Amino acid sequence: MRVALLVLFCGAIPAALRAEDSLTYAAARTRAAFLARSSGARASAMGGAFSAVADDASAGSWNPAGLGQIATVDAMAVFDSPGEGMMTGYLAGALRTGPGTVGVQVTAAGYGTYTSRDVEGRNLGDLTAPQDIAAGLSWASRLPVPGNPLFGVSAEMVREGTGGTVPGASAGLLVRAGKDVALGLAARHLGPSKDGFSLPAVVQGGAAWHPRDRLQVSLDGAYGLTDRLAQIAVGAEFEPHRVFVLRAGYSHMLENQELEGLTGLTAGLGFRFRGWGLDYAFQPFGELAVIHRVGLVFRPSSIWPGRALMGR
């Protein structure tokens, strides 16, 4: 069970639950696989269909261009744990500085403890597994071209507890395609390959539609450049009251995951009071686990995510 949770925690469920040769392929190519997991409780609740939404501090991890939608300052702290002592902590912040916006992101992944044994199998006690950490710096601004699309870039440094340090980069574009429609495109976690290992690079794009002021619907498609897996996702966010938000989503991997039980569906809610907010996301992975992700949000601006298109 702990092995299955570890695979889940590292964001490699589809590859791990396919045939044995696929598992070998994924394990031989991916490093810092924890980066493949979604960042932010809000985005998780919307099924990860976030590349054209990306209007909070987690944009630096989804689509750096989205940081340009932030009016003043935005920050969040997110935590989740699938069990067995494993956990993820995510911190992100963004600050508008004149014509552009600067963002920072830090992700820490812990894998709990394990039992150490000698060559004869004697128990030597429990040891804490090494922790993985990724830190990124992002910037976004509008391009001086017709339509003034938002463009953003991000540089990251990943330190694995057992694999050394590796650099990575992300870039994204966000453009308004109509009064109530935005299109987003991002390439994330691009980096050099070392000894056959690469970051979980992915290209993701999609659209967000605001049919009403307090409702938005999003659709995304993604392709993993490292694991060669394709995925589609849909999400929705509805604000029945100024202090309360409902979210739901669905993600589908275009590869048989062979999971029993509920999987793919996501849900969540958010509360807003003045400049503070609390987000919650529910994400089931069949018989393996159910992840509960909780995030504390700070945004002093009166414009909260989902209430205006591209900072309008």
Tab-separated table of all heavy atoms in Angstrom, residues 6 41 44-46 55 64 106 115 143 145 151 154 161 199 201 205 239 242 249 252 256 260 271 282-283 286 295:
chain	number	residue	atom	x	y	z
A	6	LEU	N	3.104	6.000	-2.752
A	6	LEU	CA	4.276	6.733	-3.200
A	6	LEU	C	4.177	7.036	-4.684
A	6	LEU	O	4.505	8.136	-5.142
A	6	LEU	CB	5.546	5.929	-2.906
A	6	LEU	CG	6.874	6.596	-3.279
A	6	LEU	CD1	7.025	7.910	-2.519
A	6	LEU	CD2	8.036	5.674	-2.967
A	41	ALA	N	-5.122	24.378	-4.089
A	41	ALA	CA	-6.364	23.657	-3.838
A	41	ALA	C	-7.444	24.046	-4.840
A	41	ALA	O	-8.248	23.212	-5.258
A	41	ALA	CB	-6.846	23.935	-2.411
A	44	SER	N	-6.821	22.257	-8.159
A	44	SER	CA	-7.081	20.823	-7.986
A	44	SER	C	-8.576	20.534	-8.008
A	44	SER	O	-9.023	19.561	-8.614
A	44	SER	CB	-6.483	20.336	-6.665
A	44	SER	OG	-5.075	20.442	-6.672
A	45	ALA	N	-9.370	21.384	-7.340
A	45	ALA	CA	-10.812	21.186	-7.294
A	45	ALA	C	-11.444	21.336	-8.673
A	45	ALA	O	-12.503	20.765	-8.940
A	45	ALA	CB	-11.454	22.173	-6.326
A	46	MET	N	-10.789	22.093	-9.562
A	46	MET	CA	-11.300	22.293	-10.918
A	46	MET	C	-10.713	21.273	-11.896
A	46	MET	O	-10.705	21.484	-13.111
A	46	MET	CB	-10.996	23.714	-11.381
A	46	MET	CG	-11.714	24.780	-10.567
A	46	MET	SD	-11.280	26.466	-11.051
A	46	MET	CE	-12.012	26.561	-12.698
A	55	ASP	N	-5.347	32.835	-12.403
A	55	ASP	CA	-5.419	34.226	-11.973
A	55	ASP	C	-5.152	34.396	-10.485
A	55	ASP	O	-5.613	35.345	-9.865
A	55	ASP	CB	-6.772	34.834	-12.348
A	55	ASP	CG	-7.945	34.013	-11.812
A	55	ASP	OD1	-7.702	33.018	-11.102
A	55	ASP	OD2	-9.103	34.372	-12.108
A	64	PRO	N	2.647	30.851	-16.215
A	64	PRO	CA	3.237	32.087	-15.666
A	64	PRO	C	2.600	33.365	-16.194
A	64	PRO	O	2.591	34.382	-15.499
A	64	PRO	CB	4.709	31.985	-16.092
A	64	PRO	CG	4.960	30.527	-16.252
A	64	PRO	CD	3.673	29.954	-16.783
A	106	VAL	N	7.385	27.788	-4.014
A	106	VAL	CA	8.220	26.782	-3.347
A	106	VAL	C	7.360	25.554	-3.068
A	106	VAL	O	6.273	25.671	-2.492
A	106	VAL	CB	8.816	27.312	-2.030
A	106	VAL	CG1	9.629	26.209	-1.348
A	106	VAL	CG2	9.683	28.533	-2.279
A	115	THR	N	11.867	1.753	7.187
A	115	THR	CA	12.624	0.889	8.081
A	115	THR	C	13.948	0.494	7.446
A	115	THR	O	13.974	-0.008	6.316
A	115	THR	CB	11.820	-0.382	8.423
A	115	THR	OG1	10.595	-0.008	9.057
A	115	THR	CG2	12.607	-1.286	9.358
A	143	LEU	N	2.316	41.928	-23.649
A	143	LEU	CA	3.152	42.133	-24.821
A	143	LEU	C	2.639	43.327	-25.619
A	143	LEU	O	1.425	43.509	-25.765
A	143	LEU	CB	3.142	40.887	-25.705
A	143	LEU	CG	3.773	39.625	-25.114
A	143	LEU	CD1	3.574	38.452	-26.073
A	143	LEU	CD2	5.233	39.835	-24.806
A	145	VAL	N	1.761	44.132	-28.503
A	145	VAL	CA	1.271	43.709	-29.810
A	145	VAL	C	-0.246	43.813	-29.785
A	145	VAL	O	-0.856	43.939	-28.712
A	145	VAL	CB	1.718	42.265	-30.137
A	145	VAL	CG1	3.236	42.170	-30.198
A	145	VAL	CG2	1.161	41.289	-29.110
A	151	PHE	N	2.209	37.504	-21.284
A	151	PHE	CA	3.293	36.549	-21.479
A	151	PHE	C	4.046	36.407	-20.173
A	151	PHE	O	4.272	37.385	-19.451
A	151	PHE	CB	4.240	37.015	-22.578
A	151	PHE	CG	5.453	36.123	-22.739
A	151	PHE	CD1	5.344	34.876	-23.341
A	151	PHE	CD2	6.690	36.526	-22.264
A	151	PHE	CE1	6.450	34.050	-23.467
A	151	PHE	CE2	7.810	35.706	-22.396
A	151	PHE	CZ	7.686	34.468	-23.006
A	154	SER	N	9.129	31.467	-16.169
A	154	SER	CA	9.478	31.029	-14.827
A	154	SER	C	10.758	30.212	-14.874
A	154	SER	O	10.936	29.379	-15.768
A	154	SER	CB	8.346	30.189	-14.224
A	154	SER	OG	8.669	29.746	-12.923
A	161	GLY	N	16.241	14.867	-2.833
A	161	GLY	CA	16.941	14.373	-1.666
A	161	GLY	C	17.999	13.347	-2.001
A	161	GLY	O	19.005	13.230	-1.302
A	199	LEU	N	12.914	16.195	-16.003
A	199	LEU	CA	11.795	16.706	-15.229
A	199	LEU	C	10.489	16.315	-15.926
A	199	LEU	O	10.483	16.023	-17.127
A	199	LEU	CB	11.890	18.225	-15.113
A	199	LEU	CG	13.067	18.791	-14.318
A	199	LEU	CD1	13.061	20.317	-14.371
A	199	LEU	CD2	13.025	18.319	-12.868
A	201	ALA	N	8.224	17.294	-17.821
A	201	ALA	CA	7.846	18.368	-18.734
A	201	ALA	C	6.476	18.095	-19.348
A	201	ALA	O	6.142	16.953	-19.676
A	201	ALA	CB	8.891	18.511	-19.835
A	205	GLY	N	-2.706	23.411	-22.700
A	205	GLY	CA	-3.434	24.555	-23.222
A	205	GLY	C	-4.916	24.382	-23.031
A	205	GLY	O	-5.407	23.257	-22.854
A	239	GLU	N	-19.917	31.065	-7.929
A	239	GLU	CA	-19.925	31.868	-6.707
A	239	GLU	C	-21.361	32.271	-6.373
A	239	GLU	O	-21.851	33.302	-6.832
A	239	GLU	CB	-19.062	33.111	-6.899
A	239	GLU	CG	-18.936	33.966	-5.668
A	239	GLU	CD	-18.137	35.227	-5.948
A	239	GLU	OE1	-17.491	35.301	-7.002
A	239	GLU	OE2	-18.184	36.134	-5.107
A	242	ARG	N	-20.883	36.224	-2.266
A	242	ARG	CA	-19.569	36.890	-2.297
A	242	ARG	C	-18.541	36.215	-1.405
A	242	ARG	O	-17.334	36.379	-1.616
A	242	ARG	CB	-19.713	38.360	-1.881
A	242	ARG	CG	-20.481	39.222	-2.864
A	242	ARG	CD	-20.536	40.659	-2.379
A	242	ARG	NE	-19.212	41.236	-2.277
A	242	ARG	CZ	-18.590	41.860	-3.271
A	242	ARG	NH1	-19.163	41.950	-4.451
A	242	ARG	NH2	-17.390	42.377	-3.095
A	249	GLY	N	-14.683	19.431	-11.038
A	249	GLY	CA	-13.910	19.172	-12.247
A	249	GLY	C	-13.819	17.689	-12.542
A	249	GLY	O	-14.255	16.840	-11.753
A	252	HIS	N	-9.259	13.222	-17.252
A	252	HIS	CA	-9.246	11.887	-17.840
A	252	HIS	C	-7.932	11.658	-18.573
A	252	HIS	O	-7.571	12.425	-19.463
A	252	HIS	CB	-10.411	11.722	-18.815
A	252	HIS	CG	-10.411	10.399	-19.525
A	252	HIS	ND1	-10.626	9.196	-18.877
A	252	HIS	CD2	-10.200	10.083	-20.838
A	252	HIS	CE1	-10.568	8.211	-19.747
A	252	HIS	NE2	-10.300	8.709	-20.944
A	256	ASN	N	-5.518	3.681	-20.206
A	256	ASN	CA	-6.250	2.924	-19.206
A	256	ASN	C	-5.480	2.875	-17.892
A	256	ASN	O	-4.381	2.325	-17.825
A	256	ASN	CB	-6.508	1.499	-19.702
A	256	ASN	CG	-7.393	0.721	-18.744
A	256	ASN	OD1	-7.949	1.275	-17.804
A	256	ASN	ND2	-7.514	-0.571	-18.988
A	260	GLU	N	-9.808	0.774	-9.769
A	260	GLU	CA	-11.159	0.489	-9.327
A	260	GLU	C	-11.609	1.591	-8.375
A	260	GLU	O	-10.821	2.132	-7.617
A	260	GLU	CB	-11.228	-0.865	-8.634
A	260	GLU	CG	-10.905	-2.047	-9.547
A	260	GLU	CD	-11.029	-3.366	-8.833
A	260	GLU	OE1	-11.363	-3.349	-7.628
A	260	GLU	OE2	-10.786	-4.408	-9.454
A	271	PHE	N	-13.942	29.800	0.773
A	271	PHE	CA	-14.571	30.845	1.570
A	271	PHE	C	-13.713	32.105	1.474
A	271	PHE	O	-12.480	32.030	1.499
A	271	PHE	CB	-14.693	30.411	3.032
A	271	PHE	CG	-15.584	29.222	3.238
A	271	PHE	CD1	-15.051	27.945	3.299
A	271	PHE	CD2	-16.959	29.381	3.354
A	271	PHE	CE1	-15.863	26.843	3.488
A	271	PHE	CE2	-17.779	28.282	3.537
A	271	PHE	CZ	-17.232	27.014	3.608
A	282	PHE	N	-11.125	18.077	-2.982
A	282	PHE	CA	-11.304	16.634	-2.772
A	282	PHE	C	-10.929	15.938	-4.063
A	282	PHE	O	-11.461	16.241	-5.136
A	282	PHE	CB	-12.760	16.359	-2.408
A	282	PHE	CG	-13.151	14.905	-2.466
A	282	PHE	CD1	-12.916	14.074	-1.385
A	282	PHE	CD2	-13.781	14.376	-3.587
A	282	PHE	CE1	-13.290	12.734	-1.429
A	282	PHE	CE2	-14.156	13.041	-3.638
A	282	PHE	CZ	-13.915	12.219	-2.554
A	283	GLN	N	-9.977	14.989	-3.989
A	283	GLN	CA	-9.489	14.321	-5.195
A	283	GLN	C	-9.307	12.830	-4.905
A	283	GLN	O	-8.357	12.422	-4.252
A	283	GLN	CB	-8.164	14.948	-5.652
A	283	GLN	CG	-7.688	14.470	-7.004
A	283	GLN	CD	-6.470	15.257	-7.476
A	283	GLN	OE1	-5.793	15.918	-6.698
A	283	GLN	NE2	-6.194	15.170	-8.769
A	286	GLY	N	-9.383	6.224	-6.782
A	286	GLY	CA	-9.852	4.857	-6.709
A	286	GLY	C	-9.557	4.213	-5.372
A	286	GLY	O	-9.740	4.823	-4.314
A	295	GLY	N	-5.922	25.008	1.435
A	295	GLY	CA	-5.083	26.156	1.159
A	295	GLY	C	-5.576	27.412	1.854
A	295	GLY	O	-6.781	27.675	1.908
